[in-house]
Amino acid sequence: MRTTVCHIITKLELGGAQKTTLFTVQQLDRTRFTPILITGEPGLLDEQARALEDVEFHQVPCLVRAIRLWKDVQALLALTRLLKKLKPVIVHTHSSKAGILGRWAAWLARVPIIIHTVHGFGITSEQPWWLRRLLIGAEWLTGLITTHWLAVSLADIDSGIRWGLFRGGNITLIRPGIDIASFHRLFPSSDRDRLREELGVEPGHLLVGTVSCLKPQKAPHDFVDVAAHVCACMPAARFVLVGDGELRAGVEAHIRSSKLEGRVTIVGWRRDIPALMRAFDVFLLTSHWEGLPQVLLEARASGLPVVATKTGGASETVNDGYNGWLCAVGDVKGLAARVLGILLDVDERTRFSRNAGDIPSEFLNLTALRKREALYDTLLERSGRGVWDGTHGGHALGFDGRTE
C-alpha cells in the first residue's frame, strides 16, 4: 500500500520553499507514497504544479499570505473540508500561513501525522513587539498538535528552542537541497557574452546580480542603496535584480531617484537562472530575514563570490572570508564595501570563486529528499500506522488515512 502525503503551501512563487515543495512531490518514491499538493493564492508556479505527473493538485484561493481574519477563517474551513475528502495519512505544511492553518485543518480532519517545515520563521525584529508575541504564541499553540517539525537551518532550530516550540525532540534538521548539476553545467563564453549584452553589460563592466522576490523580506531597497555606493566609486559596476513582486514599483522609483538608470536593472522573473548566474561576477543578497537561502548555494555552485547579510542560515551556507563575505542586516555601507573590494581585487574574486563550488552533500536535493522519505517511514512506524519493509506495498493497514 502507498501512503498518501499531502503538502500544503501558501503560494507557489519562485522561492526556495516552493522549489523544495515541488521537487518533493514530484520525486517522492511512488512505490511508497502518493503525493498531493495544495496551494493558496495564485502564484507563478501554479501551471508547473498542475502539469506534474501523478501529483493531485488543489488550489484554495482564500489561503493568502497576509493576515486577513475572514479569509483565514474561510481558508481553515476550506482546507478542513478538502482534507476530510482526501483522507491523507500525512499532512506536511510549508510557509507561515499554510503552516498554521494547514496544521489546524489537518487536526480537525483527524489526519494521523502532521509535519511542518520551517523555511525561516516569519517573525522578525522589524515587527511590533505585540505582533511578534502573537505570532510566537500561534506557533507555540500549533506546535501542540504537530507530530514533527523540520527546519532547514540550525538558526531556525535555535529560535524554536528559545521560544519553546518543540516537544520531546520532535525537530529534525533537513536542508532544502539544490539541483547542483544544473549550476555546475559549463556554459560557452559566447552564451555568457550574449546574456551580459542582453542585460546591458558592456565589455569592461563588472556585474553584480541577485535573484529574489521583490518583497520586504529580501530588502530590495537595500540592494539599490548598495548599488548607489558602489557605482559612485566604480563607474564600471552594473547591478541586475532578477525577480518581481509587490515592491517593484517602489524599487523602480528608487532607482530613478538615485539616478541609477542604466546601471541598475530589474529583469523580472526568469527561468534560466543557472545561465544568468554564469553571467554575474558577484552575487549579492540583502535579505533582512531568511530560513536557509538556497540561492546562496546556487550562487556558490555557479562559482560566484557571495556578499550577503548574516541572517537565518546564511552563515551555514557561506564561509565568511573563504568563499564570500557576510555583513550585518541593513549594513548598506558594509555590504557596499565588501562588494567593491571583490570587484577591485581580482585575486580575491578568483580565490572566492575557486572556493565557492564545493557544496556538501547535505545540501543536495536528492539527499534531502531521501531524508524526508526516511522521516515519513519513521513516523509511520512510531504511530503504528505503517512500516516500510523495503518491498512494494510494505505499509501495513490499520489506520483511517488514504492508501492505494
Side-chain angles (χ1 to χ4, degrees):
M1 290 291 181
R2 293 188 294 170
T3 299
T4 301
V5 182
C6 181
H7 286 256
I8 307 177
I9 190 165
T10 309
K11 184 176 181 178
L12 286 174
E13 61 187 5
L14 275 173
Q18 291 78 9
K19 288 190 286 187
T20 296
T21 303
L22 286 175
F23 179 81
T24 300
V25 296
Q26 184 178 21
Q27 298 295 331
L28 274 175
D29 184 349
R30 293 302 195 271
T31 66
R32 299 153 63 189
F33 305 106
T34 299
I36 298 174
L37 177 60
I38 300 174
T39 187
E41 60 182 304
L44 187 66
L45 300 178
D46 289 349
E47 291 308 312
Q48 180 180 332
R50 287 190 180 92
L52 292 177
E53 189 175 353
D54 296 328
V55 178
E56 189 174 335
F57 179 77
H58 299 270
Q59 195 148 24
V60 179
C62 53
L63 175 60
V64 298
R65 180 172 290 151
I67 298 175
R68 299 285 186 267
L69 185 57
W70 176 236
K71 276 188 173 291
D72 294 343
V73 171
Q74 288 180 301
L76 176 63
L77 295 175
L79 287 170
T80 303
R81 287 194 298 269
L82 184 55
L83 291 175
K84 284 182 177 180
K85 176 184 176 183
L86 296 173
K87 294 182 171 59
V89 178
I90 299 173
V91 160
H92 188 161
T93 62
H94 309 263
S95 66
S96 299
K97 179 64 77 68
I100 297 293
L101 297 182
R103 279 179 284 171
W104 281 106
W107 183 77
L108 290 170
R110 302 184 67 183
V111 174
I113 297 172
I114 303 172
I115 303 170
H116 178 63
T117 292
V118 181
H119 299 272
F121 287 105
I123 302 165
T124 76
S125 59
E126 299 179 3
Q127 296 166 330
W129 68 268
W130 60 268
L131 180 58
R132 292 199 303 273
R133 293 291 295 273
L134 179 65
L135 295 176
I136 292 170
E139 289 286 4
W140 182 87
L141 188 62
T142 309
L144 298 178
I145 62 166
T146 303
T147 309
H148 205 86
W149 298 73
L150 297 181
V152 298
S153 71
L154 292 170
D156 284 335
I157 292 178
D158 289 343
S159 295
I161 291 173
R162 189 167 66 251
W163 297 331
L165 304 185
F166 313 134
R167 298 173 291 108
N170 67 334
I171 175 68
T172 299
L173 175 70
I174 300 181
R175 305 298 192 177
I178 65 167
D179 177 13
I180 195 169
S182 64
F183 291 92
H184 274 175
R185 190 178 301 121
L186 294 177
F187 290 90
S189 59
S190 58
D191 288 353
R192 184 176 191 268
D193 293 342
R194 176 185 55 78
L195 273 173
R196 287 170 70 88
E197 183 179 358
E198 180 185 323
L199 296 171
V201 179
E202 299 175 2
H205 288 166
L206 291 171
L207 182 60
V208 180
T210 195
V211 180
S212 71
C213 187
L214 302 185
K215 59 184 181 181
Q217 174 194 356
K218 304 296 183 178
H221 288 286
D222 286 2
F223 184 88
V224 177
D225 288 336
V226 170
H229 283 281
V230 172
C231 289
C233 300
M234 188 177 186
R238 294 294 183 270
F239 287 74
V240 62
L241 203 160
V242 181
D244 211 329
E246 63 192 83
L247 298 182
R248 178 160 185 164
V251 174
E252 289 174 332
H254 190 176
I255 292 170
R256 291 193 297 271
S257 66
S258 301
K259 303 187 186 312
L260 290 172
E261 301 101 318
R263 294 190 175 187
V264 180
T265 305
I266 301 175
V267 300
W269 286 123
R270 298 274 294 252
R271 295 301 184 96
D272 56 342
I273 300 303
L276 283 170
M277 288 277 196
R278 294 291 181 172
F280 300 165
D281 295 296
V282 177
F283 189 88
L284 171 64
L285 189 67
T286 55
S287 298
H288 281 197
W289 68 91
E290 284 283 358
L292 187 134
Q294 287 175 250
V295 72
L296 294 184
L297 295 168
E298 293 169 349
R300 280 187 53 192
S302 303
L304 284 173
V306 168
V307 177
T309 46
K310 191 176 182 179
T311 181
S315 61
E316 299 166 42
T317 64
V318 175
N319 189 337
D320 196 25
Y322 180 73
N323 47 34
W325 293 113
L326 296 173
C327 300
V329 170
D331 182 8
V332 168
K333 290 183 178 179
L335 290 164
R338 290 304 191 187
V339 169
L340 190 60
I342 294 174
L343 293 178
L344 291 173
D345 189 338
V346 176
D347 290 339
E348 181 173 86
R349 195 159 72 243
T350 301
R351 176 169 56 86
F352 282 177
S353 179
R354 185 175 59 247
N355 295 339
D358 185 18
I359 308 294
S361 62
E362 66 174 320
F363 294 111
L364 305 185
N365 52 12
L366 285 175
T367 301
L369 175 67
R370 298 302 169 230
K371 289 181 178 180
R372 290 184 204 102
E373 291 176 337
L375 176 66
Y376 294 162
D377 288 337
T378 298
L379 295 177
L380 287 163
E381 182 176 1
R382 286 179 183 172
S383 68
R385 291 179 165 88
V387 180
W388 172 250
D389 63 5
T391 63
H392 292 259
H395 285 301
L397 294 175
F399 52 93
D400 295 331
R402 169 176 156 190
T403 60
E404 294 183 353

